[in-house]
Amino acid sequence: MRRVFVRGSDLEEVPTSHGEDLPVRKRVYCNRRENSIPHVMQIARSTSIGPVDTADGHVHRTMVEWYYVVSGRATFRVGGWSMNAGPDDFIAVPPNTTHSYVVAEGDVLELFYGGIATKEEA
């Protein structure tokens, strides 16, 4: 069933797919199976309680990913770039680009983020 209205407080908090063992939980507002927005892979909000280090990073071959920092601070790495990000900062990750972030011990990072397919998944 396609979602039209989503109340965030009704969503279950689940681990992220890139670190189930990390103290990061997300609420998924829509994903590619349950949305009415073409090319959107996922829109979610996550909370990371430091220390969190996704230093190995990961890559999406056919997706642009973006992050909006709601609250907290983290160091984001995108390709060869690094940025200390805080509230109201925006990070865009092109396809085929390694990306990760680090949250310091005791810090809490809240992100609103999503992914947009650049072409059909193989």
Side-chain angles (χ1 to χ4, degrees), residues 28-39:
V28 179
Y29 292 85
C30 72
N31 60 37
R32 64 183 172 184
R33 292 176 303 278
E34 300 174 335
N35 75 52
S36 54
I37 309 169
H39 307 291

Side-chain angles (χ1 to χ4, degrees), residues 12 22-23 28 32 34 45 53 55 61 65 67 69 73 81 83 90 94 98 101 103 114-115 117 119:
E12 177 184 1
L22 294 173
V28 179
R32 64 183 172 184
E34 300 174 335
R45 184 171 178 147
D53 187 347
R61 292 182 314 112
E65 191 165 33
Y67 301 91
V69 180
R73 302 198 72 73
W81 299 89
M83 176 186 179
F90 182 83
T98 301
Y101 66 89
V103 181
K119 60 184 177 180

Side-chain angles (χ1 to χ4, degrees), residues 5-13 27-29 45:
F5 299 105
V6 179
R7 189 175 309 277
S9 59
D10 291 342
L11 298 173
E12 177 184 1
E13 286 191 340
R27 291 181 177 169
V28 179
Y29 292 85
R45 184 171 178 147

Side-chain angles (χ1 to χ4, degrees), residues 53-64:
D53 187 347
T54 62
D56 290 342
H58 62 278
V59 173
H60 304 287
R61 292 182 314 112
T62 60
M63 184 177 80
V64 172

Side-chain angles (χ1 to χ4, degrees), residues 67 76-83 91-94 97-100:
Y67 301 91
F76 283 81
R77 295 183 194 103
V78 179
W81 299 89
S82 180
M83 176 186 179
I91 298 95
V93 181
T97 305
T98 301
H99 55 287
S100 62

